[in-house]
Amino acid sequence: LAHALREIEPIHRQPVGVFLPSCSDYIISLIGISKAGGVAMPIDASHPRERLKYVLEKGAPKVILVNDRWEPELLRLLTDCG
């Protein structure tokens, strides 16, 4: 994952969104982001929508890690943010 992140976008000290439930994917994401030199920015789907929009607008991650199950929800959220 760390190598893939480096190829997608230079992320050294940059926020990388993590829109995943707390599971093994989440832990793997945190480790991969850390190894790539990025900063993990958890995006918790259980938070109120306004809070999520605020986090995305202020954090402005260029990359957001998501799985197939959560991708539709993330796309709706990003659409709401503009």
Side-chain angles (χ1 to χ4, degrees), residues 34-66:
S34 177
K35 287 185 137 212
V39 178
M41 187 179 91
I43 305 167
D44 189 340
S46 68
H47 286 182
R49 200 153 199 82
E50 288 302 314
R51 171 73 179 146
L52 294 174
K53 287 169 60 175
Y54 176 82
V55 167
L56 287 171
E57 288 170 0
K58 293 297 179 179
K62 293 182 181 178
V63 177
I64 300 175
L65 302 178
V66 64

